[in-house]
Amino acid sequence: EIAERVRYHLTYCLFVRLRLFFVSTAFVLILGVIVVMLTKVMPSQVGDPMGWPGVLHYPLGIALSFNILFNLLMAAGTDPGSPQSISKSVLEQLDAEGDVGSDDFRPNFCKICSFVKPARTHHCSTCQRCVLRMDHHCPWLGQCVGLYNYRYFMLFMWNLLLGCIYCISLTVWAILDVIWEDSG
């Protein structure tokens, strides 16, 4: 039993450190792109922040940057939800939503957690627990995407997509300006 407890604590400590590493890496990479865009690309393309294009581009870039970082941290910091940590009324509501249209509904039982699982709850082998409405285990968040952090994850992904499109358009604009200046 002592060896099992030591193994569990070592695994847990390693998991927490890896989670912190991946979330920090994602945060630093995204922050790096934001800093380059706001300090190098935008000043060369937009010019004066108080001029006509700057009044539009700088607030847009800052708002996208804030939303990306905020939703990343919220998705990584919000517990996805597990059957063990929620109230009985929420469990009943989840079960009621899960068995619509089925005549022979039987509750599932997790053999690993030894707990009754509501509909659409799955056991994550990485997190070693059951997750409500589990979507997937995300290594960049260091946890599963589930019932309570799915909204933040989707907002993070949409804002990241918009930010990428915005960065690419400004970069292409900068490259085309250089090409046109050299040819003209």
Side-chain angles (χ1 to χ4, degrees), residues 57-124:
H57 285 287
Y58 278 98
L60 179 64
I62 291 169
L64 270 173
S65 303
F66 174 77
N67 280 322
I68 290 168
L69 294 175
F70 174 78
N71 286 306
L72 168 66
L73 293 176
M74 289 302 292
T78 303
D79 183 57
S82 67
Q84 296 92 337
S85 65
I86 61 173
S87 67
K88 202 168 189 80
S89 63
V90 175
L91 278 174
E92 290 169 359
Q93 179 186 0
L94 289 171
D95 276 338
E97 291 174 6
D99 65 2
V100 174
S102 66
D103 296 330
D104 57 343
F105 175 72
R106 289 172 295 190
N108 294 324
F109 185 78
C110 180
K111 295 175 186 170
I112 299 168
C113 294
S114 301
F115 206 83
V116 176
K117 301 187 302 185
R120 293 183 295 226
T121 298
H122 301 284
H123 186 84
C124 177

